[in-house]
Amino acid sequence: AVGCTAEMLNAADLRVYLPLRGFADSLNLSVAAALVVHQMFVLDPSLEGAMTEDERRELRQAWYAKLASQRLLSSADKRRRAKLTAFLQGCESVDKKIK
């Protein structure tokens, strides 16, 4: 991986260094972000988000469904599902016009 471009580095307000130990020579963005967020909570445990419990529940439901479908379906299954979803949306559109 190339890492950040010079433009991104110049635009950044702050750079964070994550020391690597062992055999790793880089981290992907999600791992690096998770480590930074974890360290923020270690430094200040009082930090918390502003989402309501209902917002969290809705986000979890949408995320879990998406995650499960990505894990369980092959690429061919995903294409078939996309075609079926488009077909069903077309049916709903026709149904609305009829009513």
Side-chain angles (χ1 to χ4, degrees):
V2 182
C4 294
T5 64
E7 181 181 5
M8 291 173 70
L9 292 172
N10 291 333
D13 294 328
L14 181 69
R15 295 182 191 183
V16 177
Y17 175 74
L18 301 175
L20 299 175
R21 294 177 178 79
F23 297 106
D25 60 357
S26 66
L27 301 172
N28 69 31
L29 180 61
S30 63
V31 172
L35 291 171
V36 170
V37 170
H38 176 265
Q39 188 61 28
M40 286 173 49
F41 283 112
V42 168
L43 294 173
D44 187 355
S46 69
L47 294 174
E48 61 180 57
M51 294 176 74
T52 66
E53 193 56 41
D54 287 339
E55 290 172 323
R56 290 178 190 187
R57 190 176 310 106
E58 288 175 22
L59 184 60
R60 284 186 191 115
Q61 287 175 343
W63 175 250
Y64 292 156
K66 182 177 181 180
L67 183 62
S69 69
Q70 289 175 346
R71 298 281 192 238
L72 299 175
L73 300 178
S74 68
S75 295
D77 290 334
K78 290 177 187 176
R79 284 191 298 274
R80 283 192 292 273
R81 184 181 63 184
K83 287 181 182 178
L84 179 58
T85 300
F87 175 77
L88 292 173
Q89 289 171 344
C91 291
E92 289 173 357
S93 176
V94 169
D95 188 45
K96 287 178 184 177
K97 290 179 183 178
I98 292 172
K99 291 180 180 182

